[in-house]
Amino acid sequence: MIPCVRVKDGVQFKITPGGIRILAAFDYAAWHIAHDITITSGADGIHSGPADPHPKGDAYDARIHDLPDPQLALKALQDFLGDRFFVWIEDAGTDNEHIHAQVKKGTVYPPAPLSTHEEAQDAATAT
């Protein structure tokens, strides 16, 4: 079996750079835990209001009840995504328990490119 990302019927996608990064992280996590991961929500559905990152394409949810080790999947996702993203188990202990991954509030992805001056400083520091 080749672990992969699957998608629940009806999930809608709005592609943003942050969303692409999250989907890549789910693919990495599936490989890392050797188990399929199913996306259950993207830009569809009703979430937490007008500032919610789902409709913008900057958040995705994934099924958790079929994962052999949800904490391992969570760690793989956060390690892959880094500090510009936030991943947690939402609605823990309920029938709606799932992994939620999003671009971290107050953060922009992708980050602004370095200025020419910053690039020169980084290059000088690296040598």
Side-chain angles (χ1 to χ4, degrees):
M1 174 183 108
I2 298 172
C4 63
V5 174
R6 301 193 180 275
V7 179
K8 179 180 146 187
D9 287 343
V11 171
Q12 296 175 8
F13 293 86
K14 182 174 181 182
I15 302 301
T16 64
I20 291 169
R21 181 81 178 157
I22 292 166
L23 294 172
F26 277 120
D27 186 58
Y28 168 78
W31 172 82
H32 186 75
I33 67 171
H35 195 279
D36 290 355
I37 293 179
T38 302
I39 304 292
T40 57
S41 184
D44 52 289
I46 298 171
H47 295 279
S48 64
D52 188 279
H54 278 279
K56 299 173 193 153
D58 284 335
Y60 287 92
D61 295 338
R63 184 172 294 142
I64 198 171
H65 69 265
D66 63 338
L67 298 181
D69 187 345
Q71 291 299 323
L72 183 61
L74 198 67
K75 182 174 178 359
L77 287 163
Q78 191 66 66
D79 288 350
F80 184 94
L81 289 168
D83 63 358
R84 292 189 171 271
F85 294 83
F86 189 59
V87 182
W88 74 95
I89 295 177
E90 194 169 27
D91 294 335
T94 72
D95 289 342
N96 190 39
E97 184 175 54
H98 60 278
I99 290 176
H100 174 89
Q102 72 174 63
V103 174
K104 191 182 284 184
K105 288 180 183 174
T107 301
V108 175
Y109 187 88
L114 294 175
S115 69
T116 305
H117 177 73
E118 290 171 318
E119 289 172 351
Q121 284 182 322
D122 286 349
T125 305
T127 57

